Amino acid sequence: MAGTRLQIVGAFVLFTLLAAPVAWHLTQVERVDLPVDRIQQLSWAASRFGGPDNFHVNIYSLSSVSSSAPPSSASNVAYVTHNLQLNAKQQKALQTAMTSGLQATDDVLETLMTDHTRFSVFLLCDENAAASTPVLTVGKYHHAWSSQCEVNKGDAVHSAIEKLVHMHVYPQTDQKNVKPNIESKIARRALHYRLQFSLLKENPTTPWNEDLRALVDQYLSRFVHKVGALANFTVETQVVQYARLAKEVTASADGTEFFINADDLKHFKSANDFLDTSVLDDGEQVLHFMAALPDTKHAPLYIRTADHKESKAGLATAFELPGWGIAAILNPIALNGKPSVASSDEEIATTKERELQRVMGLFVSEFRTLLGAPSFTHRQRKEDATSGDTSRQILLFLPSHTDGIADWELDVIMRDRFTKLMQTAIETLQSTVELVEALPELSVLERVQTRVETAVTRLEAILCNSNREQECVDASDRRSLLVMARQASELTDAAYYDHTMIRQLYFPQEQMLGVYAPLLAPLILPFLLGLIRELKRFKAKRAAKKDKLQ
């Protein structure tokens, strides 16, 4: 009987010993290793981008007289002079373009450039240039030009180049800090943007014969494609019926114009948050572009401030909400014609096209502002105001009618976003490592490991450390660098904010002991004492049996 009892107790003990490791393993969280050493070696300050950016500006002279490079007031900017020799075909094309206008000259100079990674200045040596010709004309590519033959230290061309390079093309740190007005209007930086174009119709019966999506594709598709390196953009359109900018509309004394007060628009954003009907991805930012189509009986409709109720000086047809978007007012009379006035179909079509161009132009201008490029009109006005009373403009900026943003403007935004994305990605990875090391029982799944390792590989290819064996990305390939930085930032955010890496899902040692102790402690002592007692009884029985046999 003792043997049977011993077998029963031993079976319980054996089962406990075998089940304990399995139970312990099942209660442990899944935790894989992260490339801690590689992450700790990531350093923006110690990389090839960590120091101040060094820039070179090429100055091409069409004159046969060679001159030395003018000095730069910034330590990280250097000017390099070149004598540009043109063949007969190039000279003829340039002369024809200079006669045709500034846009044609800009396009021809782009074909003469051999180094598109640097900003260039062309000295055209145009003896036929008018006295009112701007000192420096800034094109929509990576160059500017002057009608002068040479540039010397302290002259007008040198001052214009210094102003252009240090304030606009390669803005210095002190210049970035003096633009709080621009920074306050920039949308929150994100990897994904949803561009929401809305038509707000006050009266559903007001004629609207246009395809909103077709208009967006016609006027903004090239702009969206060009800035596609900055983020992923999703475009959506919608028409909202019975939508009004304000509750009250005031008519003029003669009833020919209508106004809404600017103070009534202060709560426009909070009142129209319901328009965000789409399900957004993580970190996706919505940019709003609204075209308000008032009822025909309220046309033309203007926005009037309280200070200009008795004059037309303060009238506006659009208003912006910094970092959020813009709302522009359409004129239904300009779109469909005035019933009481006989107009030809051609006149109505011309007026409608001009009205649509005006509103879409406002959308493009606001889109530029939200991304960080200053308004073209405001920048030119400010530049003209700072030029003083001179009859000659110092800087003349050419607009990019085709895609809405100049190449050099996009470069400024790309450099700024690249720096912030890289610094944020490295900081997020190192914070992830600190979090994992501080919480030994924190769950680290295999998908988190894959995301982290992929992000580290991207960052190493960008930073190009000296101990890296793989091929590095060329530092001048800004678009590829920014795309890889976006990928790394998205992966690091996905790893850091993984839903399994939160405090509610980890099990510390003291918690597991607190759970198992009430269950196992009452059983351990009886099992051990029973096993010892049965072993003693079994030995005593065997000894008694042996004595009996003797």
Side-chain angles (χ1 to χ4, degrees), residues 303-314:
I303 302 172
R304 183 173 59 182
T305 61
D307 300 334
H308 300 85
K309 284 189 175 182
E310 304 300 330
S311 66
K312 295 185 178 182

Side-chain angles (χ1 to χ4, degrees), residues 4 60 75 186 208-209 223 282 308 338 433 450 536 545:
T4 304
Y60 294 98
S75 59
I186 298 177
W208 171 258
N209 303 319
F223 181 84
D282 291 340
H308 300 85
K338 196 170 184 179
V433 170
T450 303
K536 290 181 178 180
K545 187 176 182 180

Side-chain angles (χ1 to χ4, degrees), residues 219-278:
Y219 289 97
L220 284 95
S221 60
R222 293 185 178 181
F223 181 84
V224 174
H225 176 73
K226 188 170 184 177
V227 300
L230 301 177
N232 293 325
F233 294 95
T234 302
V235 179
E236 67 178 17
T237 58
Q238 62 180 352
V239 178
V240 183
Q241 307 291 353
Y242 300 102
R244 304 180 65 177
L245 293 179
K247 294 182 179 180
E248 296 183 1
V249 177
T250 305
S252 61
D254 55 2
T256 58
E257 295 178 340
F258 299 87
F259 312 97
I260 57 177
N261 295 324
D263 293 338
D264 295 338
L265 301 174
K266 291 182 178 180
H267 304 287
F268 178 82
K269 178 180 179 298
S270 59
N272 290 275
D273 282 341
F274 70 93
L275 294 177
D276 297 335
T277 56
S278 301

Side-chain angles (χ1 to χ4, degrees), residues 358-389:
R358 178 186 68 84
V359 174
M360 290 299 169
L362 290 173
F363 286 173
V364 173
S365 180
E366 179 64 18
F367 199 171
R368 286 168 48 92
T369 302
L370 292 173
L371 293 180
S375 170
F376 171 80
T377 304
H378 294 167
R379 179 178 58 193
Q380 189 63 59
R381 289 176 180 173
K382 183 178 179 180
E383 178 58 36
D384 295 341
T386 57
S387 299
D389 298 332

